[in-house]
Amino acid sequence: MPIPAPFNFSLWLSKNQNLLQPPVNNFCLYKGSDFIIMAVGGPNQRSDYHVNQTEEWFYQHKGGMLLRIVDDGKFRDVRIEEGGMFLLPANTPHNPVRFADTIGLVVERVRPAISTGKFVPLFQRYVPSYFQIVCVGTAPHLLTPSPLLSMRNPFMLQIWVRSSSP
């Protein structure tokens, strides 16, 4: 397969910025065997924190954004202004807050079929429990809290399904 030509992001935005509006706010620009590159617009209204098992790179193309994170057990806000970039370490609970008329890029690793992501309901900045979220086909499924689930102890869906089946 031939290597594609360089991608002109500004030109793409001039024709497709409408794809970055609520309720979806993002568009997958590229999905390779190792990386996913998404264009993300604002505003969004997320209140959840989520966790990826790999690093995520944020670049703010237009306007600023706020990345709420849990850093060493403490809540912290990271401002990423226009032109700024930030590499979020793996396994860091985070909540990207995007404002109106803003555009950013997010680069993350492709998750293997056996990997899991996590949804962490840190509503009102309390940490009641962790939930595991897994992708089955294209739809994410939220599993109920379990003492087996923790930030550092992901589980394999296939094993859980086999052990939970009648």
Side-chain angles (χ1 to χ4, degrees), residues 50-56 89-92 94 108 111 117-118:
H50 61 279
V51 177
N52 285 356
Q53 292 174 309
T54 59
E55 298 167 325
E56 286 184 70
N91 296 308
T92 302
H94 60 286
E108 61 183 52
R111 294 182 191 138
K118 295 178 184 172

Side-chain angles (χ1 to χ4, degrees), residues 63-114:
M65 70 162 290
L66 180 67
L67 186 62
R68 294 191 164 135
I69 65 171
V70 179
D71 183 9
D72 199 22
K74 295 181 176 75
F75 288 91
R76 185 162 75 91
D77 290 344
V78 176
R79 288 272 324 171
I80 306 171
E81 299 299 340
E82 187 170 311
M85 62 180 86
F86 178 75
L87 182 64
L88 180 71
N91 296 308
T92 302
H94 60 286
N95 171 6
V97 178
R98 298 191 175 275
F99 308 110
D101 300 317
T102 61
I103 298 170
L105 292 172
V106 177
V107 178
E108 61 183 52
R109 296 290 306 257
V110 171
R111 294 182 191 138
I114 60 171

Side-chain angles (χ1 to χ4, degrees), residues 24-81:
V24 177
N25 292 69
N26 65 36
F27 185 84
C28 184
L29 297 170
Y30 175 82
K31 183 173 183 181
S33 57
D34 293 320
F35 293 98
I36 297 170
I37 302 173
M38 293 173 290
V40 187
N44 68 353
Q45 296 185 3
R46 293 185 75 149
S47 60
D48 66 280
Y49 283 65
H50 61 279
V51 177
N52 285 356
Q53 292 174 309
T54 59
E55 298 167 325
E56 286 184 70
W57 181 78
F58 293 82
Y59 170 72
Q60 205 52 29
H61 177 76
K62 178 184 174 191
M65 70 162 290
L66 180 67
L67 186 62
R68 294 191 164 135
I69 65 171
V70 179
D71 183 9
D72 199 22
K74 295 181 176 75
F75 288 91
R76 185 162 75 91
D77 290 344
V78 176
R79 288 272 324 171
I80 306 171
E81 299 299 340

Side-chain angles (χ1 to χ4, degrees), residues 1-9 29-30:
M1 173 186 274
I3 296 174
F7 183 83
N8 186 322
F9 184 57
L29 297 170
Y30 175 82

